[in-house]
């Protein structure tokens, strides 16, 4: 109910207005290993939802994490495999990336077109993420079918051959069956630099079926093809000054045709969920994936 100020506060008789009833529900589960909602989890958890991802214009997981406190991004230092390399509170976390609560064993640069939200768990968390998660862990929640029909799209064009297009289409066939399809095409050069270029596309179809009020299943397949020529940066002096070397800003310090970054990912996931009458929930996740990075 909503009420006006009291007579003592406003200096006039209080007026009662019509009752206001607000109905809603919590957003979908973040599909992590948490046994309680993030609000009730005794850890420091940062949740970046789809609205914030869109506001930031993030096109990859690296873009999503770039402005998140406590996270730094590395490159290929030390001969590590190509792909996302976040550091959480100074500790390597590239092997602590999860998709829908299951550790992502493949190593590649994740795209953002099929991400519903990202949860960052800070601090040691072996109870949630397994042994070795010293700095923390990152869980990406994939987009799944919803009980509504919609089509959303976005197109972006800019300087340096920037172009990005995404489509998010959801179709509720009936109360039991839902379909969703996410598509992405992206390309860009590196502003002010020679030869740096990114080109990728992705497809992510998914289907969900509700057997009953307490049992449901969903299946999704994720395809990503990326062919990039990463910018290797600007040289710095090694004489102790650590100052940028006075050379042309657009110089490329790599080998054309050799220093490429190619990522292929094919990941299929089947999720079965059942909620018992006492509130206990059982979830089984089966995943088959192949990732190629070179």
């Amino acid at each position: 109910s909503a009420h006006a100020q009291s007579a003592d506060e406003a200096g006039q008789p209080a007026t009662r207005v019509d009752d206001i009833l607000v109905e809603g529900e919590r957003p979908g589960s973040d599909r992590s290993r948490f046994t309680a909602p993030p609000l009730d989890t005794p850890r420091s958890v940062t949740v970046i939802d789809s609205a914030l991802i869109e506001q930031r214009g993030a096109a990859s997981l690296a873009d999503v994490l770039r402005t998140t406190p406590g996270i730094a991004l590395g490159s290929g230092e030390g001969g590590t495999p190509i792909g996302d390399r976040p550091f959480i509170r100074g500790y390597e976390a590239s092997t602590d990336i999860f998709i829908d609560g299951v550790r992502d064993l493949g190593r590649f640069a994740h795209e953002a077109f099929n991400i519903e939200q990202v949860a960052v768990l800070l601090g040691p968390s072996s109870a949630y993420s397994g042994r070795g998660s010293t700095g923390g862990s990152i869980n990406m929640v994939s987009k799944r079918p919803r009980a509504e029909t919609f089509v959303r799209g976005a197109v972006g064009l800019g300087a340096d051959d920037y172009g990005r297009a995404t489509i998010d289409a959801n179709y509720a066939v009936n109360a039991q069956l839902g379909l969703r399809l996410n598509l992405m095409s992206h390309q860009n050069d590196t502003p002010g630099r020679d030869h740096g270029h990114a080109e990728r596309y992705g497809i992510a179809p998914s289907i969900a079926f509700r057997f009953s009020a307490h049992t449901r299943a969903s299946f999704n397949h994720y395809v990503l093809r990326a062919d990039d020529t990463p910018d290797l940066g600007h040289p710095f002096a090694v004489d102790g000054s650590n100052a940028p070397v006075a050379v042309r800003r657009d110089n490329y310090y790599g080998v054309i045709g050799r220093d490429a970054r190619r990522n292929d990912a094919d990941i299929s996931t089947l999720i079965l969920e059942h909620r018992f009458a006492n509130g206990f929930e059982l979830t089984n996740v089966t995943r088959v994936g192949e990732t190629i990075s070179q």
Side-chain angles (χ1 to χ4, degrees):
S1 301
H3 299 272
Q5 291 178 308
S6 66
D8 293 339
E9 294 173 333
Q12 57 185 0
T15 302
R16 180 181 177 86
V17 300
D18 294 337
D19 290 343
I20 301 175
L21 178 62
V22 179
E23 296 182 353
E25 60 182 11
R26 288 177 178 268
S29 169
D30 64 0
R31 275 158 263 155
S32 68
R33 292 176 178 268
F34 298 156
T35 56
L39 182 63
D40 302 324
T41 299
R43 306 298 310 165
S44 178
V45 182
T46 300
V47 178
I48 307 164
D49 60 18
S50 58
L52 187 56
I53 293 174
E54 292 177 3
Q55 291 173 4
R56 292 178 177 177
S60 64
L61 177 62
D63 291 341
V64 174
L65 300 177
R66 202 177 304 277
T67 55
T68 302
I71 293 184
L73 298 175
S75 298
E77 299 91 348
T80 58
I82 294 173
D84 292 320
R85 195 185 186 197
F87 289 78
I88 302 180
R89 293 182 172 178
Y91 292 92
E92 171 89 35
S94 57
T95 56
D96 296 316
I97 297 176
F98 292 73
I99 301 177
D100 297 329
V102 178
R103 190 182 299 274
D104 181 26
L105 299 178
R107 185 70 177 266
F108 67 100
H110 299 79
E111 244 284 347
F113 79 101
N114 195 46
I115 295 178
E116 192 75 54
Q117 69 178 34
V118 177
V120 180
L121 185 66
L122 302 178
S125 51
S126 60
Y128 299 110
S129 308
R131 181 180 179 183
S133 299
T134 307
S137 59
I138 299 166
N139 182 56
M140 295 178 290
V141 179
S142 303
K143 294 180 179 179
R144 289 205 285 181
R146 298 182 180 179
E148 57 181 315
T149 297
F150 61 81
V151 177
R152 301 168 183 161
V155 176
L157 298 174
D160 298 288
D161 284 337
Y162 173 82
R164 181 177 176 85
T166 58
I167 296 177
D168 183 1
N170 189 93
Y171 179 58
V173 179
N174 50 45
Q176 287 75 39
L177 180 62
L179 307 172
R180 192 167 185 176
L181 176 65
N182 279 270
L183 304 173
M184 176 276 301
S185 177
H186 177 102
Q187 70 171 23
N188 70 273
D189 291 340
T190 303
R193 305 284 290 171
D194 288 341
H195 306 297
H197 181 73
E199 184 173 351
R200 57 185 181 266
Y201 70 87
I203 305 172
S206 58
I207 181 172
F209 186 80
R210 184 181 296 272
F211 295 95
S212 67
H214 302 287
T215 305
R216 60 182 179 177
S218 66
F219 175 81
N220 65 76
H221 184 65
Y222 176 90
V223 177
L224 177 67
R225 297 291 183 267
D227 188 356
D228 305 341
T229 302
D231 178 33
L232 301 181
H234 189 97
F236 283 73
V238 293
D239 57 3
S241 65
N242 294 323
V245 177
V247 294
R248 291 178 53 193
R249 183 183 183 278
D250 56 358
N251 285 356
Y252 178 75
Y253 296 94
V255 178
I256 303 300
R258 185 200 68 178
D259 295 332
R261 180 176 60 193
R262 300 181 179 91
N263 286 299
D264 293 351
D266 294 89
I267 303 173
S268 297
T269 305
L270 174 64
I271 303 176
L272 303 175
E273 301 170 288
H274 178 76
R275 181 180 293 274
F276 295 89
N278 60 1
F280 180 77
E281 185 171 334
L282 179 65
T283 302
N284 177 271
V285 181
T286 303
R287 174 170 296 151
V288 177
E290 180 182 22
T291 58
I292 301 175
S293 300
Q294 59 183 13

